[in-house]
Amino acid sequence: MQAVRFDGHGDTDVIDYGDVPDPEVGRDDVLVDVKAGALNHLDVWTRRGMPTLDLAMPHVPGSDAAGVVLETGADVTRFAEGDRVAVSAGVSCGDCEFCRDGDYPLCTSFHVIGEHVPGVHSELAAVPEDNLVAVPDGVDWETAAAAPLVFQTAWRMLNTRADVSPGESVLVLGASGGVGHAAVQIADHAGAEVYATASSEEKLRYAEEIGADHAIDYESTDFADEIRAHTGKRGVDVVVDHVGEATWDDSLKSLAKGGRLVTCGATTGGRPETHVQRLFWNQLDILGSTMATPGEVDDVLELVWDGTFDVRIRDVLPMSETARAHEMLENREGFGKVVVRPDSDY
């Protein structure tokens, strides 16, 4: 079969599209005829080898994909040939103390399809049954592929970790990205007053279209100053920051006393300076979050499938142009998700 692959870590020139062996289908696996995949920033980090990754090479990346079931392993009970499915990439052991409590993202051996083990940006993919969700008829492949990772991540951040309530105020940084555009919609759905940052008039307009009450151009203004001005120097109740070093200090400055900062990533670096005095004096909470439980995945995807949440697609490319898709993410081009499709289906 044909698949996206790389033989070593580096820049986009390490990415290739070519022949790899067909996947082996284990007893708990489902063989999926992949119709579409989607890019996330973790694909960029995996390609670069950050943080330190010890991957078997060549590595097939990709944590988001959707397609049709071709074959099922002997122990599979939830899916059958012809079913429409999408990948939910977080893999848990199911047996540690956290899994027994139902909080699977805290699993002591938690790992991610495409990041720590072979991914799904290929013509065929063998995926554990527990890592698939059903896709209703009428949902297009691009939406099905692009929704799971970012919407489950944003859902857990805002609903489970930050516990956003109606009437609270939420600032979403990087609203044009995958997690950002999901977080804007989820915060709006929760009844919050939503502030969003982006870097162009077009992106700001998109943010407003999907639920932002206030859109701030972070390239022309200091967003922390803008937040203080908008809120009468109070600040917001919650900041969603997946940017890291470049925004961390201003994110903390943007919080009201007793506010919560929730983070799932650090696309500009993971070692920001923190003014500890601000933390204890303003009694701030910093909350880490990643992926979601199966129940959280089901809850948010139901709202994607029924059209409550809009999965914005910035471009659809053949898998042979995945290097270009990586460049779009790195250069912050466009609004929403980048989708790739097998060249044979493009």
Side-chain angles (χ1 to χ4, degrees):
M1 70 171 182
Q2 299 277 292
V4 180
R5 62 188 186 180
F6 52 80
D7 289 311
H9 299 297
D11 292 328
T12 56
D13 58 1
V14 303
I15 301 171
D16 187 20
Y17 185 67
D19 291 326
V20 299
D22 287 356
E24 296 182 5
V25 181
R27 297 184 65 87
D28 298 314
D29 291 341
V30 173
L31 183 66
V32 179
D33 177 10
V34 175
K35 299 301 183 182
L39 274 288
N40 298 281
H41 264 284
L42 67 82
D43 294 303
V44 174
W45 300 128
T46 303
R47 188 200 80 224
R48 294 176 180 173
M50 300 169 61
T52 303
L53 295 172
D54 183 17
L55 299 175
M57 297 291 177
H59 179 71
V60 175
S63 302
D64 269 332
V68 178
V69 173
L70 290 179
E71 180 186 336
T72 60
D75 294 338
V76 171
T77 60
R78 293 173 51 232
F79 299 102
E81 182 179 342
D83 286 350
R84 292 161 52 88
V85 294
V87 175
S88 180
V91 181
S92 307
C93 73
D95 192 48
C96 70
E97 60 177 304
F98 301 105
C99 289
R100 290 195 297 271
D101 288 341
D103 208 353
Y104 297 95
L106 292 178
C107 173
T108 54
S109 61
F110 188 81
H111 59 282
V112 180
I113 293 171
E115 183 178 13
H116 307 104
V117 296
V120 290
H121 287 175
S122 52
E123 291 181 313
L124 302 172
V127 182
E129 176 184 26
D130 289 345
N131 289 97
L132 291 173
V133 295
V135 176
D137 292 338
V139 176
D140 64 80
W141 291 123
E142 290 83 2
T143 295
L149 194 147
V150 295
F151 274 88
Q152 68 173 280
T153 298
W155 184 265
R156 181 175 173 88
M157 290 174 77
L158 286 160
N159 288 334
T160 304
R161 299 294 287 137
D163 192 22
V164 173
S165 300
E168 289 194 305
S169 52
V170 176
L171 168 63
V172 178
L173 303 187
S176 64
V179 170
H181 95 293
V184 167
Q185 296 178 73
I186 292 167
D188 179 56
H189 185 262
E193 182 175 10
V194 183
Y195 298 82
T197 70
S199 60
S200 71
E201 281 299 321
E202 181 182 27
K203 292 177 182 179
L204 294 169
R205 185 177 71 252
Y206 279 138
E208 291 173 336
E209 287 179 4
I210 61 173
D213 299 293
H214 314 277
I216 299 169
D217 185 342
Y218 67 80
E219 289 196 338
S220 64
T221 60
D222 183 302
F223 72 81
D225 289 343
E226 288 291 307
I227 290 295
R228 306 300 286 187
H230 273 287
T231 61
K233 298 184 179 180
R234 175 186 182 274
V236 296
D237 298 298
V238 175
V239 173
V240 176
D241 187 335
H242 51 91
V243 181
E245 286 184 16
T247 56
W248 190 256
D249 191 50
D250 279 339
S251 291
L252 294 175
K253 288 179 183 177
S254 299
L255 285 170
K257 288 200 170 188
R260 294 99 74 196
L261 186 155
V262 59
T263 178
C264 69
T267 56
T268 62
R271 295 178 178 272
E273 290 187 3
T274 298
H275 293 279
V276 177
Q277 297 93 330
R278 180 176 289 118
L279 291 182
F280 64 72
W281 189 253
N282 290 336
Q283 301 193 43
L284 305 179
D285 291 327
I286 296 178
L287 306 167
S289 188
T290 188
M291 309 293 284
T293 67
E296 291 164 340
V297 173
D298 290 341
D299 288 345
V300 70
L301 289 184
E302 182 177 347
L303 295 171
V304 172
W305 305 151
D306 73 11
T308 299
F309 296 145
D310 179 21
V311 184
R312 289 294 175 102
I313 308 297
R314 69 178 85 174
D315 208 346
V316 180
L317 302 172
M319 284 188 180
S320 59
E321 295 182 20
T322 295
R324 171 63 185 141
H326 278 236
E327 291 172 356
M328 294 179 72
L329 265 65
E330 290 177 304
N331 297 333
R332 304 194 306 277
E333 298 177 31
F335 190 98
K337 296 277 287 183
V338 181
V339 171
V340 291
R341 300 192 65 165
D343 285 42
S344 55
D345 285 340
Y346 187 77

